[in-house]
Amino acid sequence: MALLEEWQKVAYNQETDRGQLQKFWQRYFAIERGVYEELLTNPDEKVEGTVKELAEKFGLSIMDMTGFLDGINDSLIEPNPIDTMEEDTKVSLAFDKEKLYMNMVDAKADWLYELPQWNDIFDAETRHKLYIKQKKSGTVIVGKKIGRNDPCPCGSGKKYKFCCGR
């Protein structure tokens, strides 16, 4: 069984007691924060290795490393093959800084996008612009509704109800 499947069985198990699941995620988020603090301290360093090697480097279990790789995968310059990943699969943690920041905002992970290490990567204005850009990306803007008796927007000159509104 691939590591990702094992991780998902534990992390998203519907039969687990809610209290246990909450403790699991609190523990995981603390671990995740520690790894991001280390990665963001030197954001241009190329961190590569097998899943097992990276787990050892950051002091994580294989399962915690799998969860981390699952979470960061959308922010990487080149995504890892997480669906088929095993302990000896070579992976990279080379991330796109802007994409990572915006994905953290999207996930509402304030404990990550408010890390002090971001101050050395982006100035306050850039972080604010990225934050706003991400928040607006999920906003749907609905145009003015066309009334039945309004002129048809196709330009035919007919009323909407007799033209495209049929």
Side-chain angles (χ1 to χ4, degrees), residues 74-77 96-104:
D74 290 339
S75 304
L76 298 177
I77 294 168
D96 178 311
K97 296 176 203 111
E98 287 186 6
K99 202 187 285 187
L100 179 63
Y101 187 83
M102 289 172 55
N103 285 340
M104 288 175 172

Side-chain angles (χ1 to χ4, degrees), residues 51-68:
V51 175
K52 187 175 183 175
E53 290 168 349
L54 291 179
E56 290 170 0
K57 175 183 170 79
F58 292 106
L60 307 178
S61 69
I62 298 292
M63 279 297 100
D64 288 336
M65 190 69 218
T66 302
F68 182 81

Side-chain angles (χ1 to χ4, degrees), residues 124-139:
E125 184 181 339
T126 304
R127 286 194 315 275
H128 181 69
K129 283 180 182 175
L130 290 171
Y131 181 89
I132 297 300
K133 182 180 175 183
Q134 178 57 45
K135 289 295 186 181
K136 282 186 176 179
S137 72
T139 304

Side-chain angles (χ1 to χ4, degrees), residues 85-124:
M85 191 170 59
E86 297 295 338
E87 284 185 27
D88 59 348
T89 304
K90 193 152 177 66
V91 293
S92 170
L93 295 181
F95 57 90
D96 178 311
K97 296 176 203 111
E98 287 186 6
K99 202 187 285 187
L100 179 63
Y101 187 83
M102 289 172 55
N103 285 340
M104 288 175 172
V105 170
D106 186 43
K108 297 176 179 69
D110 57 343
W111 64 94
L112 297 177
Y113 68 79
E114 290 178 356
L115 285 171
Q117 287 82 351
W118 283 112
N119 298 337
D120 298 330
I121 298 170
F122 299 125
D123 60 35

